[in-house]
Amino acid sequence: MKLEKSPSSASLTNGDAADKPSTYHSWLHSRGVWFSYIVGVYGMHLFLLSLPFFSVSTVWTLTTVVHSVVTYFFFHHVKGSIWADSQGSERYQTQWEQIDNGEQFTSTRKLLTLVPVLLFFLASFYTKYGYYHFLINCAALLLGVVPKLPMFHGFRLFGINKY
Amino acid sequence: MADAIMKFGVEPWNFAELVEAFKQAPLYHLAFEVILVVFIIRLIFSKSYSIESTVKLTEAEREQLVQEWEPEPLVPPVDPNHPALHYKVITKQGNNKLVVDGKEGINVGTFNFLGMLGRKETEDAAIQTMRKYGVGTCGPRGFFGTMDVHLNFEEKMAKHMGVEEAILYSYGFSTIASAIPAYAKKGDLVFCDEGVSFAIQMGLLASRSKLKFFKHNNMADLERLLQEQAVEDKKNPKKAKVMRKFIVVEGLYVNHGTIVDVEKLIELKYKYKVRVFMDESMSFFVLGKTGRGVTEHAGVDITDIDLISVSMEAALGTMGGFCLGTRYVVDHQRLSGLGYCFSASLPPMLASAASMAVDITQKETDIFQKLRSNNEFIHVQLSGLPGYRLDGDPISPIKHLRLEETSGDWQKDQAFLEKIVVRALDEGVVLTVARYLEEEEAFLPPPSIRIAVNVTLTEDQLTKITSVIRILAAAVLREKSEGE
């Protein structure tokens, strides 16, 4: 370790923190979190419905898109720990990769993967299987599901967001 | 239900219509949904597994990997000329003499400024304490480690220095390295001299504060940084309100031999509202009429410095260190100073030896004046050597003899000075070059021969030291120019 000369914060290298698996996501298992999540999505949907200038089909498509983009940002873009200083290996891991310490197909992961698919079914139904709605919903579905698949664990497209 | 939906819907539609739409859904859509249903079923029935354990190797692949593996050498190849392989062996230490590699010489290499190391009184005090207490409990201060010797010494130092409280550490290096991160945290700002010692650098590193370095001993540069910060604070008062600001300096810089301008420092402190930490490891028991350090030397009030840290490994001639300050400030370290909380306490005998050293200086009041005249004598004698530059204040016991013109290669210059050191040993003078962890110093000082003057040197010895250095320095320089 060496002190940095430039007037920037002296940063510690990874050395002092043991590479322990992250425990910051255990709250996803706690009681009522799944229910709250579904209620939250439904609440967002109701809010969009209450806006006067959108038709029902537009609102359903909007719901899938907003849901996918927001969950993508929080699960697959934000890295490290949200609550405390990140010092361990989780500094380079997205939130999704840290859930259940990287174990695949756990119940939490299954639920979070299912929600965008079910939203797609609902949106398809309520948009009367229209062609353009299908395209947009399909894109939102892929954004919501593909990064969650095990083969994309630790995958960084073109090294973007790697560090 | 359809009616209810119609009331709230924007466009006229009903559930029956939706079902009708489902019946007429395009084929590609239905096919896609069938795929999704299959996906869902597979997802629900997939077993969980750990992502790390997915790679399975066949026996042949494993065999091949074993075959391909080439072990790295346990010890990397080392340059046979590496200085760490050519260490010097000290076999005897006595008074101001050392026996290095079987050759005896006058010791001007170690920081034994007052000659406390090797004095009968301090040794006796240590032995006496050891007979009573043993070698210590091996417990941290807060955990079965505190003894009355520690408490008495803390009280004595506080009283002696005229501060409210002192706190005793068990290792000189970790005194300041623990004290800084006890106060400065992430989000704080530290103004720091470029010439500070390695212990301070490690303290700053552990604090994770933002650092701004000013030029060595240049108060104008410090003021410039403070002014810049004041402008920034005005722009963002919310941030400035929660950010603590510190100035970290040394009283007498061990790597430069220079003395800090305390008066100006205190003026800046009150003008820009910063806290001042000062490491007096080298200046304590050296500067000032009664050895109370830089503050006494400059005639300023010691309470104007927020925290003073002292290593007892220089002038006091034992081990450990202590911090001085107000009760409010110092007590914080009893729970937040890492070196205090988590290190075994100082062996009581070392505290006793330090205590005895303080007593000695109270009796022999002329000891500091004598040290000062020795320092000045050496300074005068070694100044103005052609081709060399003597760094350090005239009254500083630490002098750095550096090359006037560097070759541009740090290692080469160091090796050049090392030649003088080796030859001086043959002449009966134990010198040393200043050594650093070159890779890890923030601002690596130029190479130098570090001369540490002490009070026990007689006039003859002083003359001998200076004449040996003068002759050898000139001779080595001449050989070099002839070689070229």
Side-chain angles (χ1 to χ4, degrees), chain A residues 81-155:
Chain A
S81 135
I82 325 171
W83 322 113
D85 276 355
S86 303
Q87 293 188 333
S89 57
E90 84 268 12
R91 276 209 301 190
Y92 306 117
Q93 286 189 316
T94 62
Q95 305 304 314
W96 177 260
E97 285 156 4
Q98 292 176 52
I99 293 175
D100 297 325
N101 297 330
E103 199 175 339
Q104 299 298 308
F105 295 126
T106 56
S107 45
T108 306
R109 283 174 186 266
K110 280 179 185 173
L111 174 90
L112 292 172
T113 321
L114 267 183
V115 169
V117 182
L118 295 179
L119 276 179
F120 175 81
F121 280 130
L122 286 169
S124 299
F125 182 70
Y126 282 98
T127 54
K128 298 179 189 171
Y129 301 91
Y131 181 62
Y132 292 107
H133 282 295
F134 169 74
L135 284 186
I136 297 171
N137 281 325
C138 203
L141 173 69
L142 293 178
L143 187 67
V145 170
V146 171
K148 295 193 169 67
L149 298 177
M151 41 277 210
F152 289 98
H153 188 97
F155 177 85

Side-chain angles (χ1 to χ4, degrees), chain B residues 77-235:
Chain B
V78 183
D79 177 15
N81 292 323
H82 194 279
L85 293 176
H86 302 276
Y87 43 80
K88 292 164 182 167
V89 183
I90 296 171
T91 43
K92 199 178 151 206
Q93 179 182 20
N95 213 1
N96 54 27
K97 294 262 176 82
L98 277 185
V99 179
V100 182
D101 291 341
K103 296 165 198 164
E104 197 185 51
I106 308 162
N107 178 14
V108 274
T110 57
F111 296 139
N112 188 16
F113 304 129
L114 296 183
M116 289 299 173
L117 192 66
R119 262 185 94 131
K120 192 93 181 73
E121 296 100 310
T122 55
E123 262 173 31
D124 285 348
I127 289 167
Q128 214 175 352
T129 312
M130 191 187 68
R131 292 207 192 289
K132 188 172 173 191
Y133 293 91
V135 288
T137 63
C138 263
R141 283 292 300 276
F143 213 73
F144 312 126
T146 301
M147 291 184 171
D148 56 351
V149 183
H150 299 132
L151 297 173
N152 291 343
F153 184 71
E154 279 176 359
E155 205 176 309
K156 183 176 184 171
M157 284 325 293
K159 219 174 192 179
H160 180 74
M161 295 296 286
V163 293
E164 281 180 20
E165 194 163 324
I167 180 170
L168 186 63
Y169 278 81
S170 41
Y171 184 39
F173 188 97
S174 64
T175 309
I176 187 70
S178 299
I180 293 173
Y183 305 97
K185 305 282 182 194
K186 198 172 185 177
D188 296 337
L189 179 59
V190 180
F191 299 94
C192 184
D193 191 290
E194 282 184 3
V196 291
S197 67
F198 194 62
I200 295 179
Q201 291 176 32
M202 289 300 102
L204 295 171
L205 182 66
S207 77
R208 302 212 266 165
S209 310
K210 202 175 162 198
L211 306 175
K212 286 193 175 177
F213 286 99
F214 58 94
K215 295 254 162 346
H216 175 57
N217 227 359
N218 187 337
M219 290 295 140
D221 198 37
L222 171 62
E223 185 156 21
R224 178 183 63 83
L225 288 178
L226 288 167
Q227 266 166 356
E228 273 175 19
Q229 188 56 37
V231 172
E232 216 149 276
D233 284 350
K234 255 191 197 145
K235 272 189 218 155

